[in-house]
Amino acid sequence: MLEQLRAEVLEGNLELVRRGLVIYTFGNASAVSRAEGLCVIKPSGVPYDKMTPADMVITDLEGRIVEGKMKPSTDLDTHVALYRAFPGIGGIVHTHSRNATSWAQAAREIPCFGTTHADYFHGPVPVTDPLTPEEIDSGYEASTGVAIIRRMQGMDPLACPAILVAGHAPFCWGKSIRDAVHAAVIVEELAMMALQTLAINPDARPISQALRDKHHFRKHGPAATYGQK
Ligand SMILES: [Zn+2]
């Protein structure tokens, strides 16, 4: 079932390792088949070098296992909550990549300090509110999804393909799992650049709105001119 998507999900997870975003069994990536209403996700705690497409777990969008012998990633309930809330996304990636996680632990959004950032995000990379003790005790992973959805209210998820969960780490998404992996790599790079910007100049300010608009809308939206379309 969903052989192609299983292969894509394995490939997405392996790409996180190749890009240095994941160590040991940290992190997880999934994809959704909107036609079938099913999620394909990495199994929990299986070493990356041993994983095969057959190990991927298929669930419905409520997180019930439909096919697979392994236990799904422990963050499954966050993934399916996001698939239900953001109908335009096709893949989700969660890592504890070093620099993005540092910003998440500091509970600070990543300011848009330059055009590299503006090419991908038309503003800061947002951060959620911390989870309350009640949210942590009752359905922690689903509550993480709720915190993300709450913070993303009024925003287009495809125009802002990542968020930092306060005290935890980034969640990233995209139209496909490939795009979600790409977003995770970019967020890590932006997080590192922002950190170094502040190390060089603690008074650094975000770029102007004019420069932000110029770079963002060159690549996104109806007036985009970037690439070979
Ligand atoms: Zn995590």
Side-chain angles (χ1 to χ4, degrees):
M1 185 183 228
L2 298 176
E3 300 310 319
Q4 174 68 29
L5 210 52
R6 282 175 182 278
E8 285 175 28
V9 171
L10 175 62
E11 170 56 27
N13 278 287
L14 295 178
E15 179 70 1
L16 297 177
V17 179
R18 288 194 291 263
R19 295 281 181 175
L21 300 191
V22 152
I23 55 171
Y24 294 114
T25 60
F26 287 20
N28 42 68
S30 72
V32 68
S33 162
R34 293 293 177 185
E36 315 267 352
L38 295 173
C39 168
V40 181
I41 193 164
K42 171 183 169 280
S44 177
V46 176
Y48 283 84
D49 56 349
K50 303 267 190 301
M51 253 190 273
T52 69
D55 295 332
M56 301 302 121
V57 183
I58 300 180
T59 75
D60 65 17
L61 295 192
E62 302 297 327
R64 290 177 291 242
I65 294 179
V66 172
E67 193 177 271
K69 292 184 210 67
M70 305 260 189
K71 258 173 53 189
S73 162
T74 48
D75 291 318
L76 170 68
D77 285 347
T78 312
H79 287 240
V80 291
L82 298 183
Y83 285 131
R84 293 195 306 265
F86 305 153
I89 69 170
I92 297 172
V93 164
H94 171 53
T95 78
H96 288 201
S97 67
R98 187 173 300 152
N99 291 286
T101 300
S102 300
W103 284 88
Q105 291 185 170
R108 289 288 173 87
E109 57 184 28
I110 305 174
C112 182
F113 282 133
T115 63
T116 323
H117 182 124
D119 282 342
Y120 290 91
F121 293 84
H122 188 237
V125 178
V127 62
T128 67
D129 287 329
L131 268 61
T132 65
E134 294 72 32
E135 286 173 325
I136 293 165
D137 286 343
S138 64
Y140 169 63
E141 293 81 10
S143 298
T144 299
V146 171
I148 293 171
I149 293 158
R150 204 188 296 137
R151 180 64 186 83
M152 288 296 295
Q153 222 157 45
M155 296 163 78
D156 171 5
L158 289 175
C160 179
I163 197 166
L164 307 174
V165 175
H168 186 173
F171 276 83
C172 311
W173 48 77
K175 275 192 182 138
S176 63
I177 185 166
R178 244 183 113 104
D179 287 358
V181 170
H182 187 77
V185 174
I186 294 297
V187 166
E188 175 58 13
E189 188 71 13
L190 298 179
M192 185 192 65
M193 286 182 182
L195 205 56
Q196 295 192 2
T197 302
L198 289 172
I200 296 164
N201 177 8
D203 299 323
R205 303 291 309 151
I207 53 172
S208 68
Q209 179 161 3
L211 189 55
R212 207 154 36 98
D213 287 353
K214 169 57 74 188
H215 270 263
H216 194 75
F217 297 121
R218 247 175 23 163
K219 274 185 107 163
H220 305 274
T225 56
Y226 180 84
Q228 300 296 328
K229 290 173 224 143

